Amino acid sequence: MKLKTQGFILLDVDVVALNNAGKSTTSNFDNAVATKKVFKNGRVYTYVSGQAWRYWWRDALQRNHDWILSPITRDNKIAFTSADPIKYPDDDMFGYMKAAKDVIVDEEGKPILKNGKEQTENVTVTRVSPLKNSVIVSVGSTRPAENWSSMARQEGDSVPYVKEEYSAIMKGMFSLDLEQAGTFSNYNKTGFKNLTEKLKEDALANGAIEIEDSYVKDSKGNAQKLVRLTKEVREKRIEDTLKALKTISGGAMQTNNMSDVTPKFIVLATTTTGNHPFSHIATSEGINSDKMYLNTEGIKEVLKDYKEQFLGIIFIGRRSGFLDDYSNSLKELESLGNEYPKVQIGSINETIDNYCEQLKQQLV
């Protein structure tokens, strides 16, 4: 069964510039920086790139969960990590691509030569990230304001600069492939070569096992083999990844525009498909589509329509002081009846912890 964690979050930020887009081309000031924004139906929506969110996520795992991140190598115009998901958990959870060749050595570790040249072998490996995420985008339209500042502590004229700032409720979603985490293919096929032969041998020698791939067959019709780490290792990597949301931090202009980017509202559920059902439970209303609206009727609809795809309890967390007007309607989700999956409402950290406890029973 292809189980996935589906997550949906809301952030509440004030006077921020979380992800900038370089020099502004519309400002009247020479030294002006624009924030990232997109346009939909003629309105402006500010956003944080998916890459930036992943950077914050990795950083939280390194700082707060003691992850040793995979070293990065820069080679001319390309860069790649060690591509060792056995040793480095971020290579496992965040994926990689490494196009490289290794020198072939003999039993004594000396390069094998042919016509005076070192012989090489292709060790290109790729891994699709088990953790996939959207951008974080404002739910309602925004009107970023230009804030004029200056550096004036030096002698002579002040040096002015301008940045765009905004306040918004922002939404993001992510999906974590629970079957793929800690599980690797080794087929000689683009996108399926996760491990070199050496890494595969090292993994199997240190407690990993081989399991059958239910979806890929060889030329004789036999199931291909996957390499899977121990349940304890997989469980910890998944749990750390989810619990990092409790302490995640980041964003541009933090010196003067610091903001809390931990979720103020979160939905966590396990599904048996890759479809993300919660993408439209937060929407906008008002003449300018600038007011956030939590669609609790939409949540009920999703719970009912996708009941057969949910496994276990759907956990919903809300920070007190945020969306208090929806407190009662959210609480009602806990008693919807047998036509709906069970829902549990709690605080943010409580919700993440309780979901992680449920996952321990769902992982095999």
Side-chain angles (χ1 to χ4, degrees):
M1 190 182 298
K2 295 286 285 186
L3 299 183
K4 291 180 171 62
T5 294
Q6 307 290 6
F8 177 88
I9 66 167
L10 292 176
L11 310 183
D12 186 18
V13 293
D14 290 309
V15 197
V16 296
L18 291 176
N19 199 190
N20 292 320
K23 182 177 175 60
S24 174
T25 58
T26 59
S27 176
N28 293 324
F29 297 93
D30 292 332
N31 192 11
V33 176
T35 193
K36 286 187 181 292
K37 59 179 81 73
V38 292
F39 299 86
K40 184 178 181 180
N41 296 329
R43 296 186 173 91
V44 177
Y45 296 82
T46 49
Y47 74 97
V48 174
S49 71
Q51 183 182 18
W53 190 8
R54 292 171 79 82
Y55 181 88
W56 303 351
W57 215 322
R58 259 194 175 100
D59 187 61
L61 286 163
Q62 181 184 38
R63 294 177 182 275
N64 305 320
H65 295 271
D66 299 324
W67 277 25
I68 299 175
L69 300 187
S70 182
I72 299 173
T73 299
R74 176 67 185 268
D75 185 8
N76 294 323
K77 294 184 178 181
I78 63 172
F80 46 84
T81 69
S82 292
D84 183 351
I86 311 302
K87 181 177 182 180
Y88 300 109
D90 65 315
D91 273 344
D92 179 7
M93 305 303 288
F94 289 82
Y96 50 81
M97 178 176 181
K98 179 182 179 182
K101 292 184 177 181
D102 276 353
V103 175
I104 302 175
V105 297
D106 58 22
E107 294 179 356
E108 297 179 355
K110 297 179 180 179
I112 297 176
L113 304 179
K114 184 177 182 180
N115 298 326
K117 295 182 178 181
E118 293 180 344
Q119 296 300 290
T120 61
E121 62 178 343
N122 186 7
V123 290
T124 296
V125 286
T126 58
R127 176 167 173 78
V128 176
S129 173
L131 176 64
K132 300 170 179 64
N133 59 273
S134 67
V135 303
I136 302 175
V137 63
S138 60
V139 179
S141 65
T142 57
R143 292 182 289 276
E146 282 195 332
N147 180 13
W148 188 92
S149 303
S150 68
M151 174 63 175
R153 291 185 290 111
Q154 75 284 1
E155 294 183 4
D157 296 337
S158 61
V159 180
Y161 62 95
V162 171
K163 57 186 174 181
E164 289 186 330
E165 301 169 336
Y166 58 90
S167 296
I169 293 176
M170 309 181 79
K171 65 179 179 179
M173 57 184 182
F174 64 89
S175 179
L176 178 55
D177 192 324
L178 302 174
E179 300 301 305
Q180 189 185 0
T183 306
F184 315 102
S185 57
N186 192 43
Y187 323 140
N188 190 21
K189 180 180 177 182
T190 302
F192 289 86
K193 186 78 171 178
N194 297 163
L195 303 174
T196 63
E197 285 300 323
K198 184 178 186 308
L199 282 178
K200 177 182 176 180
E201 293 172 4
D202 289 346
L204 293 174
N206 287 278
I209 61 172
E210 282 191 311
I211 62 172
E212 289 190 349
D213 189 330
S214 305
Y215 301 94
V216 181
K217 312 286 184 182
D218 62 19
S219 59
K220 297 181 180 179
N222 299 317
Q224 292 277 19
K225 298 291 185 180
L226 298 170
V227 176
R228 172 164 284 180
L229 301 181
T230 64
K231 182 182 178 183
E232 290 74 22
V233 171
R234 294 171 55 232
E235 190 176 278
K236 184 178 187 307
R237 290 181 177 184
I238 291 169
E239 184 175 349
D240 284 350
T241 300
L242 295 173
K243 288 189 174 182
L245 290 170
K246 297 194 291 186
T247 56
I248 193 169
S249 62
M253 305 292 183
Q254 287 291 295
T255 301
N256 295 319
N257 296 80
M258 188 180 73
S259 184
D260 180 4
V261 294
T262 59
K264 299 301 172 290
F265 178 86
I266 190 168
V267 180
L268 290 170
T270 303
T271 65
T272 57
T273 68
N275 173 57
H276 200 297
F278 300 109
S279 60
H280 285 73
I281 62 173
T283 185
S284 58
E285 60 183 4
I287 297 176
N288 296 312
S289 297
D290 55 359
K291 183 179 180 182
M292 200 286 297
Y293 170 70
L294 185 63
N295 184 9
T296 52
E297 289 301 315
I299 296 176
K300 293 178 185 178
E301 181 181 290
V302 166
L303 295 176
K304 186 174 183 179
D305 285 354
Y306 294 99
K307 180 185 177 183
E308 299 305 317
Q309 295 181 21
F310 290 117
L311 184 67
I313 300 171
I314 287 78
F315 294 88
I316 299 177
R318 181 184 64 86
R319 180 66 47 81
S320 179
F322 180 70
L323 301 182
D324 285 346
D325 291 346
Y326 295 93
S327 176
N328 291 336
S329 56
L330 287 172
K331 198 66 178 175
E332 291 173 0
L333 297 176
E334 292 185 317
S335 54
L336 289 177
N338 294 331
E339 293 183 340
Y340 299 84
K342 185 177 179 181
V343 176
Q344 183 174 315
I345 308 296
S347 68
I348 297 294
N349 290 6
E350 177 187 33
T351 292
I352 295 173
D353 289 341
N354 288 341
Y355 177 73
C356 288
E357 285 301 312
Q358 175 177 270
L359 268 186
K360 292 178 182 178
Q361 308 304 317
Q362 296 173 340
L363 287 175
V364 294

